Amino acid sequence: MRASDHRFAVMNWILRNEGIVPRAQARVDIDDRGHQFGDGIYEVIRVYGGTAFLMQPHLDRLRRSAREIGMVLPWNDDALAARGEELMARESMSDGILYFQVTRGVCPRLQVFPPEDVTPQITAYARPMPRPCGEADEGLHAHLVPDIRWLRCDIKSINLLPNMLARQKAKEHGCAEALQHRDGIVTEGAFSNAYIVAGGTVHTHPADNRILAGITRVHILGLCAAAGIPVREEPFRVEDLRGADEIFISSTASEVAPVIRLDGQPVAAGKPGPLTRRLQAAFRETLPAD
Ligand code: PDD
């Protein structure tokens, strides 16, 4: 597969700190700490019909991630949102994603924080991307893997090596997503949050240091509360996953997506379950109109 075969379109404009430049002119210094150490954080925000969805919670999480790694974001929310709008306009983007990344700055490879005059580097772009219709309609296959990540999965760090290795393992098993477990407790997907439905209750791992507190997850839990669907934010086990009535995942990119097979075995009837369908419908009703 060539990079250009991917369903993601190539973006034309890149924000690098103060300036928005054509992609070919965007440069990353070899000594950028993101490049050297993965010393940075990021956010992916969904855009529907030209409107960024849940922008404020994403910006709040970006600021939290920065704080948790001892970094101060150089820009306020209004400035970040305004630059996001500018990027969307440059790409004439309707459906897609906004990507923000902030690294600790440019400095020779120091194994501690750089001197104070080193300033964080911001990169952002708007990338057109279709909605995940197939996965959402038909459901996807998932593969269970051990969770080999660090114990600060609540930080949206650009260090995605274990996540990518998990997703690759899934792909090698003909699956679109990996579901991870730590010592038998199901944590989350490689790039998504994970849920099971058992006896009409939605179960999902608590938002502690072992998972990313997904913005979509918070939104879905709000939809459950509004619809009177019981939720238990408590650890559940691999056995519970295997015996679940329904499994679904959520993320900015995949929205609410049913899992219909786990390691080749059908999940219940092997098709998207009724509660997942209900949540998908409720979720879609909250999206900005095209
Ligand atoms: N990933 N857990 C992990 C490990 C993730 O990487 C993601 C999202 C989520 C879901 O979070 P949210 O609902 O805020 O998107 C949970 C993004 C989409 C990515 O890296 O592309």
Side-chain angles (χ1 to χ4, degrees), residues 27 34 40 46 55 73 112 160 170 203-204 218 222 226 231 271 278-279:
R27 293 276 173 268
R46 204 74 174 74
M55 179 70 135
L73 286 192
V112 292
L160 290 168
H203 299 252
T204 190
V218 172
V231 173
K271 53 184 185 126
R278 215 174 130 196
L279 281 171

Side-chain angles (χ1 to χ4, degrees), residues 7-8 44-46 48 53 96-97 129-137 139-140 167 176-177 179 189-195 216-217 220 248-259 276 279-280 283-284 287:
R7 74 186 173 111
F8 285 36
V44 180
I45 300 158
R46 204 74 174 74
Y48 296 103
F53 185 52
I97 56 142
M129 191 178 93
R131 289 192 55 197
C133 299
E135 268 178 14
D137 287 347
L140 54 89
R167 178 68 73 89
E177 179 58 310
L179 295 179
F191 288 91
S192 60
N193 290 116
Y195 312 74
T216 322
R217 177 184 180 280
I220 289 168
F248 65 93
I249 59 165
S250 78
S251 77
T252 296
S254 59
E255 303 179 359
V256 179
V259 175
T276 308
L279 281 171
Q280 281 185 311
F283 182 86
R284 281 174 191 156
L287 298 184

Side-chain angles (χ1 to χ4, degrees), residues 12 14 21-27:
N12 301 304
I14 308 291
V21 297
R23 183 194 166 106
Q25 288 171 26
R27 293 276 173 268

Side-chain angles (χ1 to χ4, degrees), residues 42 61 156 163 188 190-193 212 214-216 251-252:
Y42 77 109
R61 188 172 64 186
K156 202 158 170 66
N163 307 58
E188 62 180 339
F191 288 91
S192 60
N193 290 116
L212 182 75
I215 303 301
T216 322
S251 77
T252 296

Side-chain angles (χ1 to χ4, degrees), residues 73-95:
L73 286 192
W75 293 0
N76 65 28
D77 289 357
D78 288 348
L80 288 167
R83 299 319 291 272
E85 292 285 337
E86 225 175 304
L87 286 164
M88 278 151 49
R90 292 270 186 126
E91 302 286 353
S92 305
M93 190 172 84
S94 176
D95 286 347

Side-chain angles (χ1 to χ4, degrees), residues 231-249:
V231 173
R232 289 181 72 167
E233 288 182 78
E234 285 168 15
F236 62 87
R237 301 194 61 83
V238 165
E239 303 84 83
D240 303 317
L241 184 74
R242 293 202 194 283
D245 299 331
E246 302 178 33
I247 304 176
F248 65 93
I249 59 165

Side-chain angles (χ1 to χ4, degrees), residues 32-35 37-43 62 65-66 69 71 99-105 121 150 155-160:
D32 187 296
R33 291 179 60 101
H35 186 62
F37 291 120
D39 186 2
I41 52 167
Y42 77 109
E43 279 296 325
L62 187 69
S65 292
I69 64 164
M71 213 168 88
Y99 179 85
F100 285 98
Q101 173 179 303
V102 189
T103 68
R104 205 182 296 275
Q121 303 281 298
W150 69 333
I155 297 170
K156 202 158 170 66
S157 147
I158 59 173
N159 285 273
L160 290 168

